[in-house]
Amino acid sequence: MSKYKGQAAVISQEQIAGDIYSLWIELPRIASEARPGQFLSLYTQDGSKLLPRPISICETDKKKGRLRLVYRVTGKETGTELFSRLEPGDTLEVMGPLGNGFPLENPGRAFLIGGGIGIPPMLELAKQLPGAKQIIAGYKDELFLTEDLERYGELYVATEDGSAGTRGNVLDAVREHGLAADVIYACGPTPMLRALKAYGEEHGIVCYISLEEKMACGIGACLACVCQSKETDSHSNVHNKRVCKDGPVFLSTEVEI
């Protein structure tokens, strides 16, 4: 699978929660190759911000050559805040698809678990993954993408403040509803992934995790986004993996988090 850098046309932009935006762009070459769990590098037009911003792919429409990105604005005058100003007809420099996505072989009963801004990648995965899917989405408080997710699996929600679904985290929701699975697919903050890795090992469940790390080049050259691994990396000859190149999706037993 090749990566490509080009100009994407902005199709639509919508604010779907307090600081969460949904952006549809058109770039057929990338859309045709993108897989669930991969990401794009987006470039701003601000010369003071040279490095691209990595954003996970939320949905693809291969027929129309479009991709959906759902992202969080992280502050004023940041790259994501500049992206939130984009309007239909604008263009955006994009590189992708990047990284390795989730495996799509028939997994049996599956948990698709997303926490916070790790929820968006679960949507395209839910659309493409065969078999029974139990989707567990963890939020701080405000919900987003719930109606989209409900179309492709049984959805369970956890909120930290108890305003919707289970009070607590995603594993609290699993336990409250007595859920079981043969495989776990997860994306979210490191504490959540660490807990799911331990849960998978305790219950003998295969677990795939998509790591969130700060990135620079996005293509594995700079070693800015390494994580500790059990095996020696062939590129650096030390016990690490490059999240952008070797991941972001890993079998949980491959990495230490």
Side-chain angles (χ1 to χ4, degrees), residues 188-197 257:
T190 299
M192 184 194 88
L193 297 180
R194 188 178 295 122
L196 290 172
K197 172 182 167 71
I257 57 174

Side-chain angles (χ1 to χ4, degrees), residues 15-17 28 41 60 87 89 99 109 125 140 164 177 184 188 197 200 203 211 216 228 232 241 247:
Q15 187 174 3
I16 59 175
S41 282
T60 58
E87 298 179 350
R109 298 173 303 168
L125 179 61
K140 183 178 181 181
H177 295 282
I184 297 170
K197 172 182 167 71
H203 294 273
L211 301 185
Q228 189 174 358
T232 301
K241 295 280 189 183

Side-chain angles (χ1 to χ4, degrees), residues 10 46 81 197 237:
V10 174
D46 184 339
E81 196 272 332
K197 172 182 167 71
N237 294 316

Side-chain angles (χ1 to χ4, degrees), residues 2-4 11-12 22 34 47 49 53 62 66 77 94 98 100 115 119 143 145 153 175 188 207 222 229 244 253:
S2 61
K3 58 183 176 289
Y4 170 76
I11 303 302
S12 66
S22 172
K49 297 176 174 61
R53 271 54 178 176
K62 296 184 186 298
R66 296 176 178 179
E77 300 302 325
V94 176
L98 299 173
N100 293 304
I119 293 170
L143 307 185
L145 291 180
R175 297 183 181 106
C207 182
C222 69
S229 64
C244 68
T253 52

Side-chain angles (χ1 to χ4, degrees), residues 48-157:
S48 67
K49 297 176 174 61
L50 298 178
L51 295 175
R53 271 54 178 176
I55 298 181
S56 297
I57 297 169
C58 176
E59 280 191 90
T60 58
D61 184 336
K62 296 184 186 298
K63 186 175 181 180
K64 294 183 178 180
R66 296 176 178 179
L67 305 105
R68 184 186 188 188
L69 307 175
V70 172
Y71 62 97
R72 172 177 283 130
V73 172
T74 57
K76 291 185 177 180
E77 300 302 325
T78 59
T80 50
E81 196 272 332
L82 295 176
F83 298 146
S84 73
R85 303 178 193 175
L86 293 168
E87 298 179 350
D90 290 340
T91 58
L92 177 68
E93 189 173 24
V94 176
M95 181 168 61
L98 299 173
N100 293 304
F102 290 101
L104 297 176
E105 294 76 16
N106 190 1
R109 298 173 303 168
F111 283 162
L112 278 62
I113 301 180
I117 207 61
I119 293 170
M122 295 298 108
L123 181 53
E124 186 64 25
L125 179 61
K127 290 169 65 175
Q128 294 196 31
L129 192 70
K133 287 159 285 196
Q134 300 164 96
I135 306 167
I136 304 101
Y139 302 87
K140 183 178 181 181
D141 42 36
E142 190 174 13
L143 307 185
F144 57 92
L145 291 180
T146 53
E147 292 183 4
D148 301 81
L149 292 166
E150 286 171 337
R151 298 190 186 104
Y152 303 103
E154 200 69 35
L155 177 64
Y156 302 88
V157 167

